[in-house]
């Protein structure tokens, strides 16, 4: 039951922060680059992992969040932050 609640909490935080960053950028017409959204998504991943992990002294959740935000930062201009290769590469072949 703890795993289920942790999964729900982590997904809620991820979607709340991630989708809210896109919504706020579009709503207030402050979309400058994908970098700002990528950084908020990376923060959301890091926060979700920290909230749902078992107490320990390792820094793996921080590295996971930083890795995801770094990948989004560097890959976003080419793929519009598409981390799933099937979602990015398939349409490029067909188009």
């Amino acid at each position: 039951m703890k795993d289920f609640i942790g999964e729900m909490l982590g997904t809620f935080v991820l979607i709340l922060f991630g989708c809210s960053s896109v919504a706020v950028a579009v709503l207030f017409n402050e979309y400058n680059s994908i970098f700002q959204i990528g950084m908020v998504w990376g923060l959301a991943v890091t926060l979700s992992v920290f909230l749902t992990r078992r107490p320990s002294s390792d820094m793996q959740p921080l590295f996971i969040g930083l890795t995801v935000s770094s990948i989004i930062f560097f890959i976003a201009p080419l793929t519009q932050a598409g981390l799933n290769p099937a979602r990015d590469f398939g349409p490029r072949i067909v188009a």
Side-chain angles (χ1 to χ4, degrees):
M1 187 65 170
K2 288 169 113 180
D3 292 336
F4 176 72
I5 292 172
E7 182 72 26
M8 284 186 51
L9 179 65
T11 303
F12 173 76
V13 169
L14 179 64
I15 297 301
L16 177 71
F17 277 85
C19 292
S20 296
S21 68
V22 176
V24 168
V26 171
L27 182 65
F28 293 111
N29 202 15
E30 292 294 328
Y31 178 75
N32 298 325
S33 69
I34 197 76
F35 174 73
Q36 65 191 23
I37 294 172
M39 290 306 291
V40 174
W41 272 100
L43 176 68
V45 169
T46 305
L47 186 61
S48 296
V49 172
F50 268 131
L51 286 176
T52 60
R53 71 184 179 117
R54 290 185 174 82
S56 64
S57 61
D58 58 353
M59 297 296 289
Q60 290 175 344
L62 178 64
F63 292 126
I64 292 170
L66 290 175
T67 301
V68 170
S69 59
S70 298
I71 290 171
I72 291 174
F73 175 69
F74 289 111
I75 301 297
L78 303 173
T79 66
Q80 286 74 39
L83 297 181
N84 184 350
R87 300 268 324 224
D88 179 58
F89 191 61
R92 287 179 189 254
I93 290 175
V94 175

